[in-house]
């Protein structure tokens, strides 16, 4: 019988037993910490049996590598992780608090922007807007609104087109001239205008204004049309809250040009039909005195010569009286002479510059506005001129022209056009003849309908008296008649109230926007309104 021999079990000494127990508890405590369970198999190495390199650096490297691997693996399996859905960003506590306060108030804009964004209240601009929505076209839209409210000269566009077809490329790019190459039109140019164009404009103004006055190119500042020219002058001559005197009726655009940004008020000097709406010094004196009593500082007077919208021309005596008045009150004169070359009557146009040359006066208070939109029919080219004898005004205007400069290609093109003396002479003569022909036919046709026009000698419009067609005789009756023209006759004309005329029933009708052949169509439409008004009365 074989006896089973039991292996002797050596009892573990108490200290060793306690040591193992403590080690087990330490390992258990360590394994409860995040990540430490990964290095338990390396315990022997950590305890130093692998040396410094194996016992320290390698375990740490393995530890951080495994931690990075597990973290990345968890991120790939978590669909709500920010890295997998970048659009669902967590809101900070400050953003959450902000959104809980309710809707935020509307963002603010400037007072000027708030005013300008409102709908137009001038019938002049309302009429232009309504035409743009339903413009007349003989083929595409024969029942549309015919534009007779804009002083746009289309009678000689065929001459302009003919010249452009022949000379466009050479005028802009040139033929070997470095000034007309790409290097002459692409880089920056002086904001106040090229000297070559100033010289050409001075010669053109000399021709259209009768050839009796010379213009100095050094007194010129070129702008992108006559509109910025008068705005720049307003900034230079008056401060915000000051005022200019303006004889009525006057061009509706002055209200925007002078009031919007310069902030200058316009004080109407009312002229009457009994004087054919000609200005008189007595009316100027009264308007000036009343402004001073109200505490308003008058800094100047704006005149349009030839007049817009009447079409009359100021006599040399009136120009002398104006200069005396301005010198006595120590104010400026702004003379808008953009229709100087669009004359057709027996009266001869005299520029205020000619009056200055004939007698010693203070030239520093006189400033002339001119442009090529009317007399040369190129309104879209945007070429305007400030002509001043005041050095301070010129220096300031040159700096302000950076906001309204003419493009270099346009300047090169217009310079070439104005330098073509044969073309310019033919154009001026043809333009005057065509304006006269259309005007005479149009006014005669209105007369046969019982509509009389004020006596005029220049411009592209007639100032028609339709007071007999309005009922009641007031601005309200004038507005109702204007609406009839827009809806019944489908033509746009400018009511006198938009021009600040004190007498209701007068309308400005621009006849250069239509051809000679279209006059019967316009007259027939006007006839409908006349007969409608007579039958209702």
């Amino acid at each position: 019988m074989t006896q089973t021999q039991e292996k002797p079990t050596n009892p573990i000494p108490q200290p060793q037993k306690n040591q193992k127990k403590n080690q087990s508890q330490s390992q258990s405590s360590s394994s409860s910490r995040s990540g430490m369970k990964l290095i338990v198999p390396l315990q022997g190495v950590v305890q130093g049996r692998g040396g410094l390199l194996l016992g320290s650096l390698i375990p740490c490297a393995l530890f951080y590598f495994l931690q990075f691997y597990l973290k990345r693996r968890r991120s790939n399996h978590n669909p709500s992780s920010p890295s997998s859905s970048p659009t669902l960003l967590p809101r900070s506590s400050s953003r959450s608090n902000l959104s809980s306060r309710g809707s935020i108030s509307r963002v603010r804009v400037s007072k000027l922007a708030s005013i300008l964004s409102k709908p137009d209240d001038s019938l002049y601009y309302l009429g232009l807007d309504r035409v743009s929505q339903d413009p007349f076209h003989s083929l595409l839209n024969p029942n549309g609104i015919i534009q007779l409210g804009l002083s746009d000269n289309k009678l000689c566009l065929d001459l302009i087109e003919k010249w452009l077809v022949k000379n466009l490329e050479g005028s802009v790019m040139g033929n070997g001239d470095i000034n007309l190459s790409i290097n002459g039109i692409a880089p920056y140019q002086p904001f106040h205008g090229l000297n070559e164009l100033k010289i050409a404009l001075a010669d053109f103004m000399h021709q259209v204004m009768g050839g009796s006055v010379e213009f100095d190119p050094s007194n010129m500042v070129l702008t992108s049309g006559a509109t910025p020219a008068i705005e720049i002058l307003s900034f230079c001559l008056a401060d915000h809250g000051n005022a200019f005197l303006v004889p009525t009726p006057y061009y509706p655009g002055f209200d925007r040009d002078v009031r919007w940004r310069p902030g200058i008020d316009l004080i109407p000097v009312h002229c009457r039909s009994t004087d054919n709406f000609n200005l008189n010094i007595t009316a100027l004196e009264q308007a000036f005195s009343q402004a001073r009593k109200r505490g308003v500082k008058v800094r100047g007077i704006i005149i349009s010569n030839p007049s817009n919208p009447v079409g009359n021309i100021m006599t040399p005596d009136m120009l002398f009286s104006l200069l005396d008045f301005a010198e006595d009150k120590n104010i400026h004169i702004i003379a808008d002479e953009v229709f100087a070359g669009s004359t057709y009557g027996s009266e001869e146009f005299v520029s205020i510059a000619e009056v200055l040359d004939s007698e010693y006066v203070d030239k520093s208070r006189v400033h002339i506005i001119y442009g090529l939109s009317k007399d040369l029919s190129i309104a879209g080219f945007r070429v305007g001129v400030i002509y001043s004898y005041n050095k301070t005004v010129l220096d300031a205007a040159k700096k302000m022209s950076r906001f309204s400069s003419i493009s270099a290609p346009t300047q090169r093109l217009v310079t070439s056009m104005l330098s073509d003396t044969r073309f310019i002479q033919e154009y001026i003569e043809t333009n005057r003849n065509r304006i006269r022909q259309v005007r005479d036919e149009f006014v005669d046709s209105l007369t046969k309908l019982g509509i009389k026009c004020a006596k005029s000698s220049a411009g592209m419009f007639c100032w028609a008296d339709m007071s007999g067609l309005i009922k009641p005789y007031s601005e309200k009756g004038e507005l109702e008649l204007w609406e009839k023209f827009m809806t019944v006759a489908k033509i746009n004309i400018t009511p006198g109230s938009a021009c600040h005329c004190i007498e209701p029933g007068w309308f400005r009708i621009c006849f250069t926007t239509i051809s000679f052949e279209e006059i019967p169509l316009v007259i027939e439409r006007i006839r409908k309104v006349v007969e409608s008004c007579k039958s209702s009365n």
Side-chain angles (χ1 to χ4, degrees), residues 85-285:
S85 181
T87 57
L88 300 178
L89 296 177
R91 277 179 171 266
S92 64
S93 59
S94 59
R95 294 283 300 177
S96 301
N97 294 336
L98 182 63
S99 62
S100 63
R101 297 175 189 173
S103 60
I104 303 176
S105 60
R106 193 174 185 179
V107 65
R108 294 179 179 272
V109 297
S110 69
K111 292 182 179 179
L112 180 61
S114 298
I115 295 173
L116 300 187
S117 63
K118 294 179 180 179
D120 287 309
D121 56 359
S122 171
L123 297 184
Y124 172 71
Y125 291 104
L126 288 174
L128 298 181
D129 291 340
R130 290 175 67 170
V131 173
S132 65
Q133 297 171 7
D134 185 23
F136 167 82
H137 189 280
S138 57
L139 298 177
L140 301 178
N141 190 21
N143 295 322
I145 302 175
I146 299 177
Q147 179 63 280
L148 300 179
L150 190 65
S151 57
D152 195 8
N153 187 1
K154 297 182 178 180
L155 300 180
C156 291
L157 290 182
D158 60 319
L159 301 180
I160 300 296
E161 182 182 22
K162 181 180 178 181
W163 189 92
L164 289 175
V165 169
K166 182 179 179 181
N167 302 281
L168 179 59
E169 182 177 356
S171 299
V172 177
M173 297 301 297
N175 297 309
D177 186 348
I178 190 172
N179 291 326
L180 296 179
S181 66
I182 190 65
N183 293 323
I185 61 175
Y188 280 115
Q189 305 291 342
F191 290 117
H192 56 85
L194 298 173
N195 192 53
E196 298 93 320
L197 180 53
K198 292 180 180 180
I199 295 174
L201 268 168
D203 185 61
F204 180 76
M205 292 170 66
H206 170 75
Q207 294 183 63
V208 300
M209 296 186 184
S212 55
V213 59
E214 299 290 339
F215 293 92
D216 185 354
S218 63
N219 290 343
M220 289 183 173
V221 174
L222 305 187
T223 59
S224 56
T227 295
I230 190 171
E231 185 190 56
I232 290 175
L233 277 178
S234 299
F235 275 117
C236 293
L237 305 182
D239 295 318
H240 195 284
N242 294 163
F244 291 145
L245 301 175
V246 190
T248 66
Y250 64 79
Y251 164 57
F254 285 161
D255 291 321
R256 289 186 171 186
D257 303 344
V258 176
R259 283 179 166 145
W260 271 8
R261 295 199 291 186
I264 299 171
D265 193 17
L266 294 179
I267 300 176
V269 181
H270 295 295
C271 304
R272 306 281 180 171
S273 59
T274 52
D275 298 327
N276 198 48
F277 296 99
N278 286 303
L279 177 63
N280 65 79
I281 300 300
T282 302
L284 274 177
E285 291 279 3

Side-chain angles (χ1 to χ4, degrees), residues 470-479 504-505:
I470 66 174
K471 188 178 181 180
Y473 180 73
S474 63
E475 185 175 332
K476 178 182 178 183
E478 181 180 282
L479 173 60

Side-chain angles (χ1 to χ4, degrees), residues 191-194 198 201 216-225 228-229 232-233 368-370 383-388 390-391 393-402 404 406:
F191 290 117
H192 56 85
L194 298 173
K198 292 180 180 180
L201 268 168
D216 185 354
S218 63
N219 290 343
M220 289 183 173
V221 174
L222 305 187
T223 59
S224 56
I232 290 175
L233 277 178
I368 299 173
I369 293 175
Y370 189 68
V383 179
V385 185
I386 296 174
Y387 190 86
S388 177
N390 191 308
K391 184 180 183 303
V393 171
L394 288 172
D395 290 342
K398 286 179 180 179
K399 293 180 179 180
M400 295 188 70
S401 64
R402 69 179 288 112
S404 60
I406 313 170

Side-chain angles (χ1 to χ4, degrees), residues 352-519:
I352 196 171
E354 184 176 346
V355 175
L356 293 176
D357 288 343
S358 62
E359 182 176 301
Y360 177 77
V361 293
D362 183 9
K363 295 183 178 182
S364 65
R365 68 177 73 254
V366 177
H367 321 275
I368 299 173
I369 293 175
Y370 189 68
L372 301 180
S373 298
K374 314 302 181 183
D375 290 345
L376 198 56
S377 305
I378 52 174
F381 283 42
R382 311 308 302 138
V383 179
V385 185
I386 296 174
Y387 190 86
S388 177
Y389 301 89
N390 191 308
K391 184 180 183 303
T392 302
V393 171
L394 288 172
D395 290 342
K398 286 179 180 179
K399 293 180 179 180
M400 295 188 70
S401 64
R402 69 179 288 112
F403 304 109
S404 60
S405 58
I406 313 170
S407 69
T410 299
Q411 292 192 67
R412 298 296 183 187
L413 177 62
V414 175
T415 299
S416 181
M417 182 183 294
L418 296 178
S419 301
D420 190 340
T421 55
R422 183 177 179 180
F423 167 75
I424 292 299
Q425 290 175 357
E426 177 188 358
Y427 177 88
I428 292 175
E429 182 179 354
T430 304
N431 184 51
R432 285 174 174 165
N433 289 335
R434 291 182 181 180
I435 290 178
R436 181 185 301 110
Q437 182 183 18
V438 173
R439 186 262 175 193
D440 291 346
E441 178 66 21
F442 195 83
V443 171
D444 288 345
S445 300
L446 290 178
T447 303
K448 294 176 181 178
L449 294 178
I451 300 174
K452 295 182 179 181
C453 297
K455 182 182 178 181
S456 61
S457 298
M460 303 170 179
F461 32 73
C462 58
W463 188 237
D465 181 10
M466 301 187 187
S467 56
L469 302 178
I470 66 174
K471 188 178 181 180
Y473 180 73
S474 63
E475 185 175 332
K476 178 182 178 183
E478 181 180 282
L479 173 60
E480 292 175 352
L481 180 59
W482 175 78
E483 187 63 34
K484 280 188 177 181
F485 276 109
M486 293 292 294
T487 56
V488 177
K490 300 296 288 291
I491 58 176
N492 176 43
I493 58 180
T494 305
S497 58
C499 304
H500 301 270
C501 181
I502 197 172
E503 302 178 18
W506 290 86
F507 287 80
R508 188 188 75 164
I509 306 177
C510 300
F511 49 77
T512 57
T513 60
I514 58 174
S515 64
F516 187 86
E517 292 73 21
E518 290 174 324
I519 293 178

Side-chain angles (χ1 to χ4, degrees), residues 290-309:
Q290 292 174 1
R292 291 191 63 180
K293 290 179 181 178
R294 298 195 307 269
V296 179
K297 293 182 179 180
V298 178
R299 296 303 190 191
I301 175 174
I302 302 177
I303 61 171
S304 58
N305 185 34
S307 169
N308 178 9

